[in-house]
Amino acid sequence: MKTPKEILKSKGINPSYQRIKILEYLQGNKSHPTVEMIYKDLAPKIPTLSKTTIYNTLKLFAEKGLVSLLVIDQAEIRVDPNVSYHAHFLCTNCNRISDIDLDADFFNSVRERVASSGYSVSEIQITLKGVCKECSKG
């Protein structure tokens, strides 16, 4: 398994200390954090970290295919380190975002259907909204 430093280098990204720490934070993180959440968690450990650095780093990571930037509600952007085929479920009760597994064939069929109408698809994001299973129990 590659280290964060090796992953960044393989994508042509200079592995600065802050970029390595942001990537480490995102690896395996399924909470789809906001910039604010990342800042709150990392700033105590990296006093020189700024929100601007996080924004710029996430933009670079997205351009290089390391993360996806999700706009699920217009108030905030969330970060998803899982760039494989999947959808998202937003719980309207607790605001938690969960990954929903969908296979590549589903996404390819959507892309083909849209392309047959003359559109060129560069990205597909699917968001489902409702009440999650944890909130439904209560």
Side-chain angles (χ1 to χ4, degrees):
M1 185 168 213
K2 288 184 175 182
T3 66
K5 185 175 184 176
E6 292 169 334
I7 291 168
L8 293 173
K9 282 185 174 183
S10 74
K11 294 289 187 174
I13 300 172
N14 177 32
S16 69
Y17 179 76
Q18 292 177 335
R19 288 174 177 165
I20 290 169
K21 291 301 178 188
I22 292 169
L23 183 58
E24 285 175 352
Y25 177 86
L26 294 173
Q27 287 180 322
N29 188 325
K30 296 186 185 258
S31 69
H32 303 85
T34 62
V35 168
E36 187 66 37
M37 294 162 80
I38 296 168
Y39 180 77
K40 182 179 149 269
D41 290 344
L42 292 182
K45 301 168 195 155
I46 310 170
T48 58
L49 186 65
S50 69
K51 290 180 187 176
T52 301
T53 298
I54 296 170
Y55 277 110
N56 291 337
T57 299
L58 295 176
K59 182 179 176 199
L60 177 61
F61 285 4
E63 289 169 1
K64 298 293 185 170
L66 288 174
V67 300
S68 294
L69 300 179
L70 308 174
V71 181
I72 291 180
D73 99 28
Q74 297 302 316
E76 61 189 7
I77 294 174
R78 299 251 183 169
V79 183
D80 191 355
N82 178 359
V83 293
S84 66
Y85 293 105
H86 66 283
H88 297 99
F89 186 90
L90 171 63
C91 178
T92 55
N93 190 46
C94 68
N95 290 318
R96 184 179 311 131
I97 299 172
S98 305
D99 288 342
I100 305 295
D101 290 328
L102 295 174
D103 62 28
D105 292 338
F106 175 82
F107 284 87
N108 289 332
S109 69
V110 169
R111 187 181 310 276
E112 288 169 11
R113 176 174 266 172
V114 172
S116 71
S117 299
Y119 297 95
S120 175
V121 177
S122 61
E123 181 179 358
I124 299 172
Q125 289 188 15
I126 298 173
T127 303
L128 307 160
K129 296 180 182 181
V131 179
C132 70
K133 57 187 170 188
E134 289 80 12
C135 290
S136 293
K137 291 177 187 174

